[in-house]
Each structure stands twice: as structure tokens, then as C-alpha cells.
Amino acid sequence: MEKSLILDAPQIKQKIRRMAFEIYEHNFKERSIVIAGIAGQGYVLAKLLAKEVEAISEIKIVLVQVWVDKEAPQQSDVKLDCELKELKKKCIILVDDVLNTGRTFAYGLKPFLNIAVKKIEIAVLVNRSHTLFPIYPQYTGYELATTLTEHVEVVLGKGSAVYLK
């Protein structure tokens, strides 16, 4: 199957930096915020966002990894790599690489709904706007109109790129 390059490494870096500034603008009064990345490319994006936010602000970032079974989210527990009590009364930003139907985000929110948090926001590198769940990203790197059969592949790290297949 043929791949089309949507974003290259410098463009991705620019998008992440802009998203970091937006996060800072919406949370500049906070001493610390939680950036929770969905395991895989979502967590890699969360680390990159955390690094950028820390570079431009005094906000302390608590980085959390969220494990969601994307194939069977109803049957499995969503796991975090920290204690829930550490997240009380914090601003949470849930991060993933691509927002397609919103299903992964909807289930990824589950542990955060069991504690008292200030607010929960969503950040994605690519928003495909095919949501079936009531999930709206506050921070979007790139909005992309695709068909349901097309696939968006995000590669972060060495050789960063976003492809459409």
C-alpha cells in the first residue's frame, strides 16, 4: 500500500512546540500539571510535550503513562504508572498520537474520573474528526480530513513523520 507523507520531522517539532505554548497559555496559573500519554506513540508525544512545556515555563510536569487495551478496552482495566492519589486536584492532559473515533480516549479517561481533578483536557498530534464518542481535543497539531478506510501512521523519535496509508 502506498504511503503519503503528511508531516516531516521539522513540521512535527513545530506542531509540538505550538501545542506546548497553548498548554502553557491555558494553564499558566498552575504550579504543576499532569501530562498522561497513552502507551505507545501517545506516551512518546506526551514526553515531547512535557519537555517543551518545561522549556518555556516554570510549570512542573508530572508525566504518566496510561495503558489501554485498544482491541478490547471494555474487558480490560486501564492502568497508570503512578498512584491515583498523586493526581488529585491536578489538571490532567490526556495525550495520544491520533484521534480517530475517540474510543481509546473515552476508555483512557476512566481512571481519572474516579478522583477529584481540576480539569481534563485532550491533546493529539493528528485529529481525523471521525469521532463516535464525545471527545474533543483542546490541543491539536494537525487536522486531517480522511476517509474511514485510510490509516494515519505516526512515527515519533528518530525519523519522525506522519504518513497517510
Side-chain angles (χ1 to χ4, degrees), residues 97-109:
D97 56 345
V98 178
L99 172 59
N100 189 18
T101 64
R103 181 176 145 181
T104 301
F105 275 109
Y107 287 102
L109 288 169

Side-chain angles (χ1 to χ4, degrees), residues 128-152:
R128 292 186 59 198
S129 302
H130 289 299
T131 55
L132 299 176
F133 290 78
I135 301 295
Y136 176 78
Q138 284 74 23
Y139 312 107
T140 301
Y142 191 76
E143 189 90 23
L144 182 64
T146 61
T147 65
L148 289 171
T149 58
E150 292 174 309
H151 176 73
V152 174

Side-chain angles (χ1 to χ4, degrees), residues 1-12 41 97-100 125-128 142-147 149-165:
M1 184 174 267
E2 190 176 312
K3 289 199 269 192
S4 300
L5 180 68
I6 304 298
L7 297 171
D8 60 17
Q11 290 170 319
I12 291 171
Q41 293 297 297
D97 56 345
V98 178
L99 172 59
N100 189 18
L125 185 58
V126 178
N127 181 6
R128 292 186 59 198
Y142 191 76
E143 189 90 23
L144 182 64
T146 61
T147 65
T149 58
E150 292 174 309
H151 176 73
V152 174
E153 178 185 347
V154 175
V155 178
L156 296 171
K158 191 174 182 178
S160 293
V162 175
Y163 299 101
L164 179 64
K165 294 199 260 186

Side-chain angles (χ1 to χ4, degrees), residues 34-53:
V34 176
I35 297 183
I38 295 179
Q41 293 297 297
Y43 185 66
V44 175
L45 178 59
K47 288 193 290 188
L48 294 169
L49 279 170
K51 183 179 173 184
E52 286 293 327
V53 172

Side-chain angles (χ1 to χ4, degrees), residues 32 34 62 64 80-92 111-112 114-118:
S32 71
V34 176
V62 177
V64 174
L80 306 177
D81 67 353
C82 72
E83 294 292 323
L84 279 178
K85 62 185 176 188
E86 295 174 39
L87 308 177
K88 277 188 181 175
K89 298 183 181 172
K90 301 265 191 211
C91 295
I92 312 285
F112 304 111
N114 294 326
I115 57 171
V117 297
K118 276 189 183 177

